Amino acid sequence: MEFARGEAGVVRREATFEALRLSALAQAKQGNLSLSAQLAGNAIDAKYSAKEAELKAKRQNLLSVYDSLTSAEKKRADLALLQLNSEDAFVKQKKADETNILNIANNTIDELRKAGVAVSNVDLQKLQQAGSVAEAQRIQSELLAKAPIKSTGDIGDFQRFFPNVDITTP
């Protein structure tokens, strides 16, 4: 019965993460970037909270009995603590990467929305689910390439008043 409860918890956490991720996407598309960023942060926290709690509990358990261990047991405990530190660093890096990816997604949505470019949910999900920050940046550049470049200054003013005039021909 314990296994079923543990599996149910995993499924609930994954569903919570997915719901928050999709909510963040929806809020970003509507222009609510601060709420989107908050939901994205909550999604990442929900995804990694169980692993962080597990690592913290293991570390506290080792440290609470460390003084009563023999020297051989202390050596094993030291190795276990090094392993926990490594796992903890990995989780922190994954959280940072996912936060950066979701921030890239939000910034991309905002830039495209400001440029008046409609982006499909498929493109945005591909961006949010990028495996690395570099991949997210590559997808971002592909999506931003769809945005028209707006002229500024005198040329921009002229084009607003005379939108049908082609100023590129001599």
Side-chain angles (χ1 to χ4, degrees), residues 86-143:
S86 174
E87 289 180 39
D88 195 38
F90 178 76
V91 168
K92 285 180 181 174
Q93 184 61 49
K94 290 293 287 180
K95 282 181 73 172
D97 286 349
E98 288 191 27
T99 299
N100 287 336
I101 289 168
L102 290 175
N103 286 339
I104 289 169
N106 284 346
N107 292 338
T108 303
I109 292 167
D110 186 45
E111 290 298 318
L112 293 172
R113 191 180 53 76
K114 286 178 183 175
V117 176
V119 182
S120 72
N121 287 340
V122 172
D123 286 338
L124 295 177
Q125 283 190 344
K126 188 175 14 171
L127 179 60
Q128 275 193 333
Q129 294 173 346
S132 67
V133 173
E135 183 183 355
Q137 290 170 334
R138 180 187 58 75
I139 296 168
Q140 178 189 38
S141 65
E142 290 172 4
L143 293 174

Side-chain angles (χ1 to χ4, degrees), residues 18-162:
E18 190 64 17
L20 288 168
R21 187 186 67 77
L22 291 173
S23 294
L25 176 68
Q27 291 302 320
K29 282 189 81 169
Q30 294 174 7
N32 300 328
L33 295 181
S34 61
L35 180 56
S36 175
Q38 180 183 2
L39 289 170
N42 291 347
I44 293 168
D45 289 342
K47 183 175 183 178
Y48 291 103
S49 64
K51 184 64 174 175
E52 288 174 325
E54 175 189 337
L55 292 172
K56 183 178 179 182
K58 285 180 180 180
R59 181 176 285 106
Q60 286 177 339
N61 288 341
L62 278 172
L63 293 176
S64 68
V65 297
Y66 190 82
D67 292 334
S68 64
L69 299 175
T70 66
S71 63
E73 291 172 331
K74 283 184 179 181
K75 287 180 183 179
R76 285 196 310 265
D78 288 339
L79 289 174
L81 286 170
L82 285 174
Q83 178 65 31
L84 289 174
N85 289 342
S86 174
E87 289 180 39
D88 195 38
F90 178 76
V91 168
K92 285 180 181 174
Q93 184 61 49
K94 290 293 287 180
K95 282 181 73 172
D97 286 349
E98 288 191 27
T99 299
N100 287 336
I101 289 168
L102 290 175
N103 286 339
I104 289 169
N106 284 346
N107 292 338
T108 303
I109 292 167
D110 186 45
E111 290 298 318
L112 293 172
R113 191 180 53 76
K114 286 178 183 175
V117 176
V119 182
S120 72
N121 287 340
V122 172
D123 286 338
L124 295 177
Q125 283 190 344
K126 188 175 14 171
L127 179 60
Q128 275 193 333
Q129 294 173 346
S132 67
V133 173
E135 183 183 355
Q137 290 170 334
R138 180 187 58 75
I139 296 168
Q140 178 189 38
S141 65
E142 290 172 4
L143 293 174
L144 289 177
K146 296 178 183 179
I149 298 172
K150 293 187 177 179
S151 299
T152 58
D154 292 338
I155 294 173
D157 291 340
F158 181 83
Q159 287 178 329
R160 276 191 290 283
F161 287 112
F162 305 103

